[in-house]
Amino acid sequence: MSRSDEGGNGSSSSSAGGGGVGVGGGGVVVVGSCGGGVGVVEAGGGAGGMGSSVIEDSGGGGGGLTQTPRHHHSHHHSHHHHSRDGHHQGKNAVKYGELIILGYNGHLPPSDRGRRRSKFMLFRRQNCNGVKEDRRYTVRQPQNTQAILNSQQHSISYTMSRNQAVIVEYKPDPETDMFQIGRSSEPPIDFVVMDTVPGEKHGEAKVSQSTISRFACRLIAHRTTREARVYAAGFDSSRNIFLGEKATKWQNCDEMDGLTTNGILIMHPITNPLREDGEGEVGLWREVSVGGGVYVLRESRSSAQRGRKVEDEDNRLQDGTLIDLCGATLLWRSADGLAKSPTKRHLEQMLDELNAGRPQCPVGLNTLVIPRKETLTASEKQPLVYLNCGHVQGLHQWGHEKDSNTRTCPMCLMVGPVVKLCMGIEPAFYVDIGTPTFCFNPCGHMATEKTVKFWASVPIPHGTNGFQAACPFCATALEGHPGYSKLIFQDNCD
């Protein structure tokens, strides 16, 4: 059994009430696995930086890829064994949606593999593995309770005192599938997620102390309606979740529930950004409990006092819901929402059209080519953007201040920083379908006007007590106001 300690990420500032949802697409999935064992919400280290996240190597087991269980057992759950059935589901596979990690531009460096990916597709499993609450009772010695000792029994143990615990047993639910997310690479985890490191990612980057729980959260998807819900904490290899004596928990006459140490935060969109009627509004960050309740944020991320319950909101995922694990933020895209989103091929065509206009450097008079991915070196064809004015030029030394990234724009004489332009190629983060004519400041990732303006308005949990807007393609915190620039090309479109 593990304990419920996830390291505390930070306090949520009250100003961060706003938060937003995004849109998104892309992913990988697990298909027939047994999501779970019981689990303890274990901790990822002390309080600390949130940022973005990466997915850790899987080892064996289920996750990012499409998978099916080996039939070692004839009963409902096929305990944690997985066998790979390829990277793709059949044409008739039912898709629930996709989870995309903020901070990655279409892939996880050095490469997506197994349960380590920048995004995951969730399909209906060949064999259902969901669970639902069955019964609850109080015991004096939870360690010796049959539900805890039985590795086939899903249960949650709430330690109330040294000699009292409430055990909640779960039973198989033939109507649902379960998917588990966390830092652990043990078999019960379908999607292994590590802390995101902001900035360009050309290789693996790890933080010294993770704040993501080993068994962070679980998603339950209804096999018929395709509705998905998120719950804090995941079942460990013994199919247990264990909330220790110090964990935040409460018992009412008809309810036993609790929170994980650093908490699982969610933000639903107020209006879907993909709708044609315009701008997507950001919602409010909330905390979701082990039992799926929705609460106002605690005063600090790991405070012992829970927030007030929000009666008119629930844990059902909407297209554009953000899920924060305290170290990584995930975007949920529903299958229906993805059908209205641009595809990667569409984004590549838009980029090809921009390059077909043969944008030119007004100083060197050479043709520029906008790349699809970041490069370590800058060639003469690499376009650079002057972030204060938006003029796009090539690499030259005119107006360059020695030992500084500051340059004077030869077109308008405005002084400011310069950065390489690169296409935001992850379609999941796009709010609309259009031409990429804006870029984020200071990273230079290009996207459509509505997409850039939307993400600039979304406060993402960061550090121990704050929120900040960030580029969804690299997780770099946005700078200046408004945090983006309109691009001005010297090409045949002017």
Side-chain angles (χ1 to χ4, degrees), residues 191-236:
F191 310 132
V192 183
V193 180
M194 301 302 289
D195 301 67
T196 304
V197 177
E200 288 188 18
K201 300 167 184 69
H202 299 287
E204 290 200 59
K206 294 185 178 180
V207 297
S208 58
Q209 191 174 40
S210 175
T211 50
I212 299 174
S213 170
R214 296 202 311 135
F215 302 92
C217 67
R218 62 198 191 277
L219 267 58
I220 299 290
H222 195 279
R223 292 170 64 85
T224 304
T225 65
R226 297 191 298 168
E227 177 182 274
R229 292 176 179 264
V230 60
Y231 301 79
F235 294 102
D236 67 14

Side-chain angles (χ1 to χ4, degrees), residues 51 69 86 203 265 282 332 341 352 391 448 485:
L265 309 186
V282 297
W332 169 258
S341 300
D352 290 343
H391 283 109
T448 63
S485 302

